[in-house]
Amino acid sequence: MLEKPVPQDSRPPARHPVYVIGGGPGGLAAAQALRARGIRAVVLEKANRVGDSWRRHYDRLRLHTTRKRSSLPGLPMPRSFGRWPARDDMVRYLETYAEHHGLEVVTGVEVTRVERAEEGSGGAWLLHATGGRKLTGSAVVVATGYNHTPRTPDWPGRDGFTGELLHAGAYRSGTAFAGRDVLVVGVGNTGAELAVDLVEGGASRVRLAVRTAPHIVRRSTAGWPAQNTAILVRRLPVPVVDGLARVMARISVPDLSAHGLPRPDTGLYSRVRQGAIPVQDVGLIDAVRKGKVEVVAAVDGFDGAEVLLADGSRITPDAVVAATGYVRGLEGLVGHLGVLDARGLPLAHGPRAPRNAPGLFFTGFTTPISGTLRELSRDAERVARAVARAAR
């Protein structure tokens, strides 16, 4: 019997594929980088289509990183997206990316637990998935995203609040709140942008609850994107970057202390190293200066229709939007493996697998000053190299 010839331009397939958990930009980029090295990669996405989390973002969202520096490996974003791609542009791009590279994507499958495969099974990892599936992989790349599960603080009296309370993940457009008094809690990039969106959408009053004053930077100054500066300084000593940022802030950002947003005492890069990304201005500065967005103290709790603030005051908004962030949601998936720190973040990231879990990789769980999409792309290539080395 004649054996079927193996094509000269392909390698013999591995016994088990590399499983990539998550069909967002991090997972797709990793799958493409693996495929480019002749390694079979299967993307497992719990939703029915790739890029699902991007579809659920608020309507006015635009990237804070430039089109050129947000493209994934092997496919530039089209010029028609403009300098700052919109949410819908990103969704179309991810769909096109998967199709363009012929990625093997399985949708509607949620991985609930990853554990070591039994010795002698021929694979390094066993994945438990919906429908009772058990999948064996030679390696696993976890790319479920930094913003995985909405986090709403357990404020005293929260459940008894008689107004509307929603997490920013459920917010779509300010027009839904036209004519209403709205309080936004949290002054990260999301909270700042939603406050501006509410003003533009016709809310009768918009207040922004702030516990810690953020660093605010211009998204672009004289045509020079803030991301470019971040890339240039990201490897400099933290005190040096803090000093440079302090000078730039005094030149480009007005003092908003009289409006409740004083300049932070701690340095910008020091905050970044603690996980707090600067707020890129998309209209917040002008809205605060003109009194269209009122800055108030942090929320301490609720009492019926009232919101209790940290300075002892009480307000009665019609609706509260909690822009209070997300948790990674990795505990059930890999928490039993001893690969997470006290905050639920991976102990190792990118091409470095945990020492006690070789073949298990994580991507997209950092908040780099140089831009998440840019670093996801770089991580993808590094992870693929690490997997290839291990295979050899």
Side-chain angles (χ1 to χ4, degrees):
M1 181 182 294
L2 295 175
E3 293 184 353
K4 184 178 180 179
V6 177
Q8 295 300 308
D9 60 347
S10 66
R11 303 177 185 179
R15 181 175 180 184
H16 296 291
V18 175
Y19 282 109
V20 180
I21 307 175
L28 297 180
Q32 189 278 332
L34 288 163
R35 187 176 182 277
R37 289 179 174 271
I39 300 171
R40 184 187 174 201
V42 178
V43 178
L44 302 176
E45 167 55 48
K46 68 178 181 179
N48 293 322
R49 48 195 178 178
V50 299
D52 185 67
S53 63
W54 284 87
R55 302 172 197 273
R56 292 181 275 111
H57 285 309
Y58 48 94
D59 293 347
R60 70 169 282 152
L61 174 69
R62 285 188 174 273
L63 298 184
H64 290 166
T65 52
T66 63
R67 180 189 74 251
K68 290 183 178 180
R69 297 191 184 279
S70 300
S71 297
L72 302 181
L75 184 66
M77 288 187 179
R79 286 180 172 271
S80 61
F81 285 6
R83 195 176 203 186
W84 316 102
R87 178 200 63 183
D88 292 346
D89 293 331
M90 190 65 189
V91 170
R92 288 196 299 273
Y93 175 70
L94 294 177
E95 291 174 336
T96 302
Y97 190 84
E99 183 178 354
H100 175 81
H101 289 296
L103 302 183
E104 192 173 348
V105 180
V106 182
T107 59
V109 175
E110 180 177 7
V111 179
T112 56
R113 183 179 175 89
V114 176
E115 59 187 23
R116 290 185 179 279
E118 293 182 4
E119 191 172 342
S121 66
W125 297 98
L126 179 66
L127 288 70
H128 297 264
T130 49
R133 297 177 178 86
K134 292 185 179 180
L135 308 170
T136 303
S138 59
V140 175
V141 181
V142 180
T144 50
Y146 193 85
N147 295 338
H148 185 271
T149 305
R151 183 187 74 86
T152 302
D154 189 18
W155 289 298
R158 184 187 72 180
D159 294 340
F161 179 54
T162 57
E164 181 182 0
L165 173 62
L166 70 155
H167 188 273
Y171 178 101
R172 292 295 171 268
S173 171
T175 56
F177 298 88
R180 303 175 69 189
D181 182 336
V182 186
L183 171 68
V184 179
V185 184
V187 69
N189 276 294
T190 297
E193 190 155 0
L194 296 193
V196 174
D197 190 52
L198 285 161
V199 170
E200 295 177 355
S204 62
R205 187 175 189 180
V206 179
R207 283 174 282 200
L208 182 61
V210 177
R211 187 173 298 277
T212 304
H215 284 276
I216 302 176
V217 299
R218 300 287 188 182
R219 186 169 64 176
S220 178
T221 303
W224 177 262
Q227 184 186 14
N228 289 358
T229 301
I231 292 170
L232 291 174
V233 304
R234 72 192 189 283
R235 299 198 184 281
L236 293 178
V238 172
V240 172
V241 181
D242 283 348
L244 291 172
R246 193 173 298 113
V247 173
M248 284 299 299
R250 293 190 180 281
I251 294 173
S252 61
V253 178
D255 186 358
L256 300 174
S257 299
H259 302 279
L261 283 179
R263 296 188 189 279
D265 294 329
T266 53
L268 183 149
Y269 207 17
S270 295
R271 287 266 190 95
V272 170
R273 299 297 287 270
Q274 297 167 4
I277 293 297
V279 171
Q280 292 204 16
D281 178 50
V282 290
L284 181 67
I285 292 175
D286 285 344
V288 169
R289 293 177 75 182
K290 294 175 181 178
K292 294 180 178 180
V293 171
E294 306 168 46
V295 178
V296 299
V299 171
D300 271 357
F302 294 81
D303 183 10
E306 295 184 316
V307 179
L308 314 180
L309 302 181
D311 61 1
S313 61
R314 293 169 174 248
I315 60 175
T316 312
D318 300 317
V320 175
V321 181
T324 46
Y326 296 78
V327 294
R328 277 19 90 193
L330 292 171
E331 287 79 5
L333 186 68
V334 296
H336 55 284
L337 297 173
V339 296
L340 304 178
D341 65 17
R343 300 169 298 167
L345 290 169
L347 291 168
H349 192 269
R352 295 183 298 108
R355 290 185 177 181
N356 61 332
L360 180 63
F361 301 91
F362 296 87
T363 183
F365 296 96
T366 60
T367 53
I369 191 174
S370 51
T372 299
L373 291 171
R374 177 181 185 271
E375 297 308 319
L376 283 177
S377 297
R378 294 161 67 87
D379 261 357
E381 302 288 354
R382 295 164 181 158
V383 169
R385 286 198 297 268
V387 172
R389 283 197 301 269
R392 289 197 298 268

